Amino acid sequence: MRDVTAVVEPLQEAWAKIFVPGPGGTAVVDPDRLVPSDKIAVAGWHVLDRSSPDGVTVTPVKYADIHLDRAKEAGKVWALERDSGDTRLFFVWAPPALLSELAAGGASGVDVHVLFHPPTYETCYRNTPYWNGRCRDWHGKSCSADMQDQHLYVRLGLRYTAVDFLAIAHHLVAQRGRKPRMAYVLPVADNRDFADLTRPDQLMNVLGEIANFLRAAVRPGTQAQTPVGKVMLSAYSRSGTRLLGDGGKMGLFQHLDSHKDFFARHLIQVNAFDINLADKPKQRMETFVPLWAAVLRWRGLNRAARAFVYTAYADHLAHVLTARPGLFTERQEVNLEEVPWSDETLRAPKGPVRGRGVEAYGDDGKVGVLHLPPTFFQEYIRNGPDPRDFVGNVRGMEHRPAHGHGHGHGWFMRSLMSHALGHGDPSLFAGPRT
């Protein structure tokens, strides 16, 4: 892995910036941009609550209220490049607790959280040389004006690292009173959609390179190989296909039998943030059913395995709840029309009802599912072939003021990443925060 942070720094747009010029031509991270604003919207231990506004516990939490010092706890971020492979650009965050362990010669294995972002198959990405080129679709037929002449892959990495989805901030607030000690790795896909990271041995080799880089960054000159420990994997939207393949592409869980060591010893948690596996419901379920079957098999190999599904698809919910009778012992259903609304004026307009939310957990707390229908939101992007195709509900919850984005599809990860992390293995965190 080669440090290309200084290369990325001048390619950042003003609104999507986390690096600033450092001494001697280097680039350093700005904590105020890495963890922007003074608060973040996060959910409680349970997401649904009949007594909460809009029926969900997602509320802004001020960093000061949980004694989080951004200047001291923001950690470090690097942009790294591989010399080979399809996926060559990675944004890597290491929190202070992990850096301290590595500097002291500890961390027998570096624990990692990997996020797969949606694929870059749109024309505007195809017209942008990977990874440091500019978008050249000057005709504007398939690219919006804000994409013209921009470094789209750099923007993508920065969005999913900090400036849009606030991933690093979610790690810092996930387990109250405790500090994360896992690295967060955001690979930036080319048009082949992580094709070289969907086999466990390939993924572990890359994560091993990153672990070696992190140790060398805090202990210059060290040549020791740094093993990878626990791996948490998150997939959002269309990247759900990286879990079990799609259209001839392979996914990680298709290698369950041939790479049992990875699934039994390393993979510890999978988070599915409103994954979309196909355009048509029938095809979507044809992929989701074997995926959930593979997840249940994996949990049979690894008693520590955790899996959390956040979805707007009622068919996904129904299958998860019924595929293995007795798996979910705690369940609640909330009529989203009957709860207090954050904007009571929205009860009056004509439009679809907000529907019902469902939340369920297994008796060991290691498996969970949350369903909120598209009608719950003022706008829910279907994420089909046409990006303008969305479900609109004038009576739906509007979360733009808290998140800067109005569509519910993104809400699942912008609001609930810390929920998934909060239900994660406590060993991924150190504590307590003082």
Side-chain angles (χ1 to χ4, degrees):
M1 289 286 180
R2 178 170 58 253
D3 186 353
V4 291
T5 308
V7 178
V8 166
E9 190 276 324
L11 306 183
Q12 302 171 109
E13 299 163 75
W15 70 270
K17 181 181 289 188
I18 63 174
F19 299 116
V20 295
T26 62
V28 296
V29 71
D30 182 343
D32 288 332
R33 294 177 178 178
L34 195 63
V35 188
S37 79
D38 66 340
K39 58 188 176 183
I40 180 174
V42 297
W45 186 252
H46 293 85
V47 179
L48 295 179
D49 182 352
R50 292 180 177 85
S51 65
S52 296
D54 301 312
V56 295
T57 61
V58 178
T59 55
V61 172
K62 290 189 174 182
Y63 301 126
D65 291 344
I66 57 175
H67 308 290
L68 194 161
D69 187 328
R70 288 184 292 169
K72 293 181 179 179
E73 298 186 48
K76 294 184 178 180
V77 177
W78 294 267
L80 303 180
E81 182 185 41
R82 295 166 73 203
D83 291 327
S84 61
D86 295 328
T87 311
R88 298 195 307 275
L89 178 63
F90 296 78
F91 286 82
V92 178
W93 172 69
L98 174 59
L99 294 173
S100 296
E101 289 182 33
L102 291 170
S108 57
V110 174
D111 299 330
V112 181
H113 176 201
V114 180
L115 172 71
F116 286 160
H117 64 71
T120 57
Y121 52 75
E122 297 96 333
T123 302
C124 44
Y125 282 101
R126 293 185 181 276
N127 288 345
T128 305
Y130 181 79
W131 54 265
N132 56 357
R134 293 176 183 267
C135 174
R136 294 300 186 187
D137 182 24
W138 291 105
H139 299 292
K141 293 181 179 178
S142 56
C143 295
S144 59
D146 72 316
M147 287 185 167
Q148 304 293 348
D149 203 34
Q150 299 299 329
H151 300 278
L152 298 187
Y153 292 101
V154 170
R155 176 198 288 184
L156 188 65
L158 295 169
R159 286 181 59 221
Y160 282 89
T161 300
V163 296
D164 184 354
F165 287 91
L166 306 180
I168 289 171
H170 276 288
H171 284 74
L172 292 172
V173 303
Q175 295 197 9
R176 306 292 171 83
R178 295 171 60 81
K179 302 177 181 181
R181 50 169 301 281
M182 76 192 96
Y184 173 63
V185 174
L186 191 281
V188 180
D190 74 343
N191 301 143
R192 285 168 286 273
D193 190 16
F194 306 112
D196 56 340
L197 298 182
T198 54
R199 236 178 52 191
D201 54 342
Q202 296 171 326
L203 178 62
M204 289 296 288
N205 285 340
V206 171
L207 296 181
E209 293 178 37
I210 291 172
N212 289 337
F213 173 88
L214 291 176
R215 185 178 291 277
V218 296
R219 301 188 74 190
T222 181
Q223 300 296 319
Q225 293 293 303
T226 306
V228 177
K230 301 179 179 70
V231 176
M232 179 188 294
L233 181 63
S234 291
Y236 167 55
S237 188
R238 289 277 186 161
S239 70
T241 60
R242 306 300 75 215
L243 299 178
L244 198 71
D246 174 57
K249 296 178 181 178
M250 296 294 285
L252 279 166
F253 274 92
Q254 283 170 286
H255 304 282
L256 181 60
D257 292 323
S258 58
H259 291 76
K260 287 185 177 179
D261 184 68
F262 170 77
F263 290 96
R265 294 184 55 243
H266 295 287
L267 188 63
I268 192 172
Q269 183 166 331
V270 171
N271 308 311
F273 292 105
D274 206 26
I275 57 174
N276 185 359
L277 305 175
D279 294 331
K280 298 179 180 179
K282 182 176 182 294
Q283 296 169 338
R284 190 172 64 228
M285 284 303 292
E286 286 174 349
T287 304
F288 185 79
V289 169
L291 170 59
W292 187 247
V295 168
L296 295 178
R297 286 183 56 213
W298 161 57
R299 295 190 75 242
L301 289 175
N302 185 347
R303 296 183 63 181
R306 298 168 188 251
F308 295 92
V309 176
Y310 305 90
T311 184
Y313 298 119
D315 48 5
H316 282 188
L317 169 73
H319 182 74
V320 168
L321 290 178
T322 58
R324 177 165 294 177
L327 177 61
F328 293 96
T329 55
E330 177 188 350
R331 173 179 172 176
Q332 67 168 329
E333 186 169 337
V334 174
N335 185 333
L336 299 168
E337 286 285 303
E338 297 176 351
V339 301
W341 287 15
S342 55
D343 185 350
E344 289 290 344
T345 64
L346 295 178
R347 291 188 188 270
K350 293 182 179 180
V353 297
R354 289 190 174 185
R356 307 183 77 86
V358 178
E359 185 174 18
Y361 298 93
D363 59 1
D364 60 0
K366 294 178 181 177
V367 61
V369 60
L370 170 75
H371 168 68
L372 287 169
T375 49
F376 173 69
F377 306 98
Q378 281 196 0
E379 182 177 305
Y380 174 84
I381 295 178
R382 295 183 194 271
N383 203 15
D386 185 345
R388 295 167 296 182
D389 180 23
F390 63 88
V391 176
N393 185 6
V394 295
R395 304 174 71 249
M397 184 196 74
E398 169 63 274
H399 73 289
R400 189 180 297 272
H403 299 266
H405 293 266
H407 63 80
H409 177 58
W411 181 93
F412 281 96
M413 196 169 78
R414 286 189 178 92
S415 299
L416 301 181
M417 177 180 280
S418 54
H419 181 267
L421 291 164
H423 284 259
D425 191 319
S427 69
L428 300 175
F429 293 79
R433 175 179 285 127
T434 55

